[in-house]
Amino acid sequence: MNHPLTDVTRTLGGIAYGGDYNPEQWPREVWREDVRLMREAGVNLVTVGVFSWSRIQPRPGTYDWSLLDEVLDLLHAHGIAVDLATATAAPPPWFTRQHPDARPVTASGTRLAHGSRQVFCPSSPAYAEAADALVTALAARYGDHPALVVWHVHNEWGNHNALCYCDTSADAFRSWLRERYKNLDALNDVWGTDFWSQRYGDWEEIDPPRDTTAFRNPGQELDYHRFCSDALLTRHRAETTILRRIAPRVPITTNVMGTLEKKVDGYAFAAECDLVSVDHYLPAADPDGHIDLALNADLARGMARGRPWLLMEHSTSAVNWQPVNVAKQPGEMRRNSLAHLARGADGLMFFQWRQSRVGAEKWHSAMLPHAGTEGRVWKEAKALGAELAALREVTGSRVHGDVAMLFDWHTWWALELQARPSDQTRYLDAVRDWYEALWTLNITCDLVPPDADLTGYRAVVAPSLYLLSDHDADNLSRYVDQGGHLAVGCFSGVVDEYDRVHLGGNPGALREVLGLVADEYLPLRTQDHALLEDGTRVRQWVERVETRGCTPVLRFADTTDGGPAHGGPAVTRHSFGRGTAWYTATRLPVTALREVLRTLCAQAGAHPVVDAPPGLEAVRRTGEEHAYLFLINHTLDTAHVSVTGVGVAGAEITDGRVVVPPGDVVVVREDLTIAPA
Ligand code: GLA
């Protein structure tokens, strides 16, 4: 398989393993210990230079390569490859001093100070010039270095500075709008500026959606999200163009943040990389953070169009940026890592190699903790390195999702603009509910955009896909018409790409395929609920649906407890062309949603990976001659699973059954050359 990541793992001799390495934080003596311990832990790849700009270029026009020269040579001499960052994510103080106007400005007009990272306006010409010069010099210096196997463009584009409201951004926004709409009437039309007397007579009258008296114009705000994401994408392209020109042999990546980052369209950045890499951190407040992990891994695979991808960052234990930074339990890091591996990662990296002694991230865990090699985390990191070496044969194999889940940043932006029917409706909540329902069924899904090619999927699900263009709606209708099984969650298909309501009855873009009209959206107060006829309690959202060909599968109870749509359809099914389309007219709890999806998936032929007890996560990677079944036990009970194959990395199979102890992970190699009995 000829894929840049496969080339990288071939060079490394297996699964990529390592983390961000920030040697500038430490005296030179420590570097020698670093490389020795990296070897000991099985580290074969480190990310260098993410925050090195002020060392590489201590003054304008003056480069000092001594640190990077020495570190890259040292790593290479110890057989450790480098993912070299372009270092543009943290402009040095001299840059800000020289260009105070390049600092980002908030929606309320505050210009942010220097003193952190990503302190730059994405549209700043001064930043572009300085960053491009740095990348050019860096590529010329290290493009041929034998340690270099991947370019790491910037770092987490837009993590801290995506939305800038300064005058430079305003100018760039206007240019972007001119390009998009060509004439002002078209813009006035789709933004609905005749409402509240906002009609623009000159492009110069248009500003970013800064803080104002009441609701901002939603079309303007939605376009501003797009513009901000595009402004960073322009910077990404500028860097990649330089790297490809000077060092074409080296593949390019950037660490996309998946659902951790609302402000940039992850698909757009992933599409511009030779290999896809992502960062994931467990949300500590979520007791089932491993489901969030799985969701993001499946999104990474969706972004990589099914090919293997690289987990660029996760944590060995606690992070330092959540309200309470919960440490990982013994064994949890391994479980997390192998869960990413199961879902298609060919590399597992951490932030960071050595825990900082000073600075803003000293309370963030690392592979080598403050306690050094005495620490529990180190011992686990070292053991994981050895285990990954034993699992190297899985590299290059692929996960095939039977189901596509449509996930879209544009819907995320639009659904959470101001003045919606309910501010309780959060996009990620809906996505999580639907994902969790599939996860508990052990049905593998790919998270893909609404314009993805859906033909190979047995079923497609669309949680609260509020924004849907006619083009993407056609994609869904065609899929069903040709025999597909589609399930759509409430408040989907409501507006077009400009946040204009599709007229003629909601959900305008999907009315025909669903065979219904949602006559009214009836959000519930926080303290209220509605009852379904089977006793299920639903919260937050109810729709009064009129059937137009669909069949109600489940109704709201026909009593006052049934809520504002009592007696009406809550779940419907519609035969359309050769396929079937389901709709949920409420936010079903995960348990109820799971039953709907269980039925739909059974009819669609999308099956659980294995028959396994609850809490036992099962995923399969398929290679050319073997498949690898990963079984991950998230419970406190021992699980027994019937399997056909042999254990990898120490797993034992007796009489066709494998035991998965509580908190453990086993991998089973299945021989694809033997026909199933
Ligand atoms: C992000 C950044 C890293 C580090 C981690 C900490 O992912 O890319 O530099 O700050 O957060 O979790």
Side-chain angles (χ1 to χ4, degrees):
M1 266 175 270
N2 190 21
H3 178 249
L5 183 53
T6 308
D7 293 341
V8 171
T9 52
R10 199 175 294 128
T11 306
L12 302 179
I15 298 165
Y17 185 54
D20 277 32
Y21 181 39
N22 297 309
E24 51 280 296
Q25 297 181 15
W26 297 95
R28 181 181 275 118
E29 313 80 79
V30 176
W31 305 349
R32 307 220 158 258
E33 187 189 51
D34 283 333
V35 286
R36 181 175 60 75
L37 291 176
M38 283 176 190
R39 296 286 302 189
E40 203 176 309
V43 166
N44 54 22
L45 179 67
V46 290
T47 302
V48 178
V50 174
F51 304 121
S52 301
W53 192 346
S54 65
R55 286 294 282 263
I56 299 173
Q57 195 179 6
R59 286 180 300 287
T62 307
Y63 292 100
D64 175 355
W65 304 110
S66 55
L67 184 142
L68 277 191
D69 281 357
E70 191 173 335
V71 167
L72 262 55
D73 289 350
L74 185 67
L75 289 164
H76 183 59
H78 287 79
I80 296 155
V82 170
D83 163 47
L84 186 58
T86 54
T88 55
W94 61 253
F95 171 79
T96 308
R97 186 155 173 238
Q98 232 182 20
H99 304 285
D101 293 349
R103 289 172 295 154
V105 170
T106 65
S108 61
T110 304
R111 198 176 279 282
L112 298 176
H114 197 86
S116 190
R117 60 179 178 182
Q118 282 183 339
V119 185
F120 66 89
C121 157
S123 302
S124 158
Y127 172 79
E129 196 183 319
D132 289 354
L134 174 69
V135 177
T136 304
L138 196 81
R141 183 83 185 176
Y142 299 115
D144 289 328
H145 197 286
L148 176 62
V149 293
V150 194
W151 287 117
H152 181 109
V153 172
H154 198 78
N155 188 66
E156 292 192 339
W157 284 110
N159 184 1
H160 309 295
N161 66 340
L163 305 181
C164 175
Y165 297 83
C166 74
D167 290 342
T168 306
S169 293
D171 273 342
F173 183 41
R174 288 188 278 268
S175 302
W176 185 91
L177 290 169
R178 277 175 189 261
E179 182 66 27
R180 180 169 167 85
Y181 294 107
K182 312 295 184 224
N183 74 68
L184 209 45
D185 285 346
L187 177 146
N188 277 311
D189 181 33
V190 296
W191 284 10
T193 54
D194 280 322
F195 192 75
W196 281 6
S197 181
Q198 293 174 349
R199 193 166 189 87
Y200 293 106
D202 192 310
W203 292 98
E204 291 304 310
E205 293 164 4
I206 305 173
D207 280 329
R210 294 171 173 141
D211 282 354
T212 182
T213 45
F215 298 131
R216 297 180 287 272
N217 180 301
Q220 178 186 11
E221 198 162 11
L222 180 58
D223 269 344
Y224 203 63
H225 273 289
R226 293 186 174 116
F227 156 73
C228 290
S229 184
D230 276 2
L232 290 165
L233 191 62
T234 301
R235 290 305 320 136
H236 177 80
R237 283 187 183 136
E239 292 199 18
T240 57
T241 303
I242 295 167
L243 297 173
R244 289 197 171 110
R245 175 168 54 77
I246 301 177
R249 89 171 164 94
V250 186
I252 290 173
T253 195
T254 189
N255 45 346
V256 179
M257 281 176 286
T259 65
L260 272 177
E261 183 49 89
K262 175 179 175 182
K263 298 183 294 297
V264 297
D265 179 348
Y267 294 125
F269 286 81
E272 306 264 340
C273 291
D274 299 319
L275 60 94
V276 170
S277 65
V278 299
D279 296 347
H280 182 261
Y281 290 96
L282 292 180
D286 180 355
D288 293 322
H290 53 274
I291 301 179
D292 185 76
L293 181 161
L295 187 161
N296 274 279
D298 288 350
L299 175 58
R301 195 178 60 252
M303 291 195 280
R305 295 173 192 267
R307 290 187 289 255
W309 48 277
L310 183 65
L311 180 68
M312 188 61 87
E313 291 180 23
H314 67 152
S315 67
T316 55
S317 189
V319 299
N320 68 328
W321 44 264
Q322 299 189 11
V324 176
N325 295 299
V326 177
K328 292 190 180 177
Q329 286 293 302
E332 191 174 356
M333 173 191 70
R334 169 178 179 257
R335 216 159 45 243
N336 293 163
S337 300
L338 297 184
H340 282 292
L341 187 71
R343 292 182 183 275
D346 265 4
L348 301 168
M349 313 273 286
F350 293 96
F351 180 84
Q352 59 179 332
W353 159 251
R354 184 186 277 273
Q355 188 169 12
S356 302
R357 183 180 187 189
V358 295
E361 299 195 278
K362 61 177 169 294
W363 293 115
H364 192 293
S365 60
M367 297 176 82
L368 185 59
H370 290 149
T373 54
E374 291 306 310
R376 168 188 74 80
V377 167
W378 163 256
K379 290 175 187 147
E380 290 197 22
K382 189 175 148 182
L384 179 62
E387 187 168 11
L388 294 180
L391 286 168
R392 68 165 68 88
E393 65 187 82
V394 309
T395 53
S397 57
R398 295 188 180 194
V399 178
H400 300 283
D402 272 352
V403 177
M405 175 176 287
L406 304 183
F407 176 82
D408 181 33
W409 268 270
H410 297 246
T411 272
W412 191 357
W413 296 330
L415 185 66
E416 297 181 3
L417 292 170
Q418 298 171 307
R420 311 283 103 178
S422 166
D423 70 0
Q424 313 278 297
T425 308
R426 314 300 295 180
Y427 183 50
L428 288 191
D429 290 347
V431 170
R432 167 59 180 264
D433 284 354
W434 284 65
Y435 184 85
E436 186 166 335
L438 287 169
W439 187 92
T440 53
L441 292 169
N442 269 320
I443 292 175
T444 310
C445 72
D446 297 341
L447 274 77
V448 297
D451 63 352
D453 177 2
L454 302 173
T455 44
Y457 291 106
R458 293 185 183 276
V460 173
V461 301
S464 293
L465 195 59
Y466 166 73
L467 179 152
L468 197 59
S469 66
D470 287 332
H471 171 269
D472 293 351
D474 284 349
N475 192 32
L476 297 195
S477 300
R478 206 176 323 114
Y479 169 75
V480 180
D481 190 34
Q482 292 171 357
H485 294 75
L486 171 71
V488 175
C490 57
F491 208 36
S492 291
V494 186
V495 298
D496 67 8
E497 62 269 47
Y498 307 106
D499 197 43
R500 293 183 305 187
V501 174
H502 289 288
L503 294 179
N506 290 318
L510 296 168
R511 214 167 43 222
E512 301 292 321
V513 70
L514 296 173
L516 54 79
V517 168
D519 178 47
E520 223 178 341
Y521 295 130
L522 306 161
L524 302 177
R525 295 180 196 92
T526 320
Q527 67 272 28
D528 291 345
H529 69 267
L531 221 53
L532 305 189
E533 60 185 352
D534 68 354
T536 303
R537 278 171 175 239
V538 299
R539 299 194 172 275
Q540 222 177 65
W541 191 269
V542 163
E543 299 178 10
R544 183 177 300 113
V545 161
E546 289 172 10
T547 60
R548 294 273 198 279
C550 72
T551 308
V553 176
L554 190 60
R555 290 180 173 276
F556 295 100
D558 201 8
T559 59
T560 44
D561 278 0
H566 60 91
V571 178
T572 63
R573 190 181 58 219
H574 184 227
S575 298
F576 181 82
R578 292 192 286 130
T580 311
W582 295 63
Y583 188 61
T584 64
T586 181
R587 183 175 177 200
L588 289 178
V590 173
T591 44
L593 194 51
R594 187 183 61 212
E595 295 317 308
V596 171
L597 292 178
R598 192 199 297 276
T599 306
L600 174 139
C601 286
Q603 290 173 0
H607 300 296
V609 174
V610 289
D611 190 13
L616 196 282
E617 178 179 1
V619 196
R620 180 175 281 113
R621 290 184 68 148
T622 305
E624 276 161 22
E625 291 178 2
H626 299 112
Y628 301 92
L629 175 64
F630 285 71
L631 301 169
I632 308 166
N633 190 348
H634 296 282
T635 74
L636 298 174
D637 302 315
T638 300
H640 302 265
V641 184
S642 298
V643 295
T644 313
V646 297
V648 190
E652 282 182 27
I653 295 163
T654 318
D655 298 333
R657 273 156 73 86
V658 69
V659 176
V660 194
D664 207 348
V665 183
V666 302
V667 184
V668 178
R669 183 196 302 120
E670 301 168 326
D671 193 340
L672 297 177
T673 59
I674 302 173

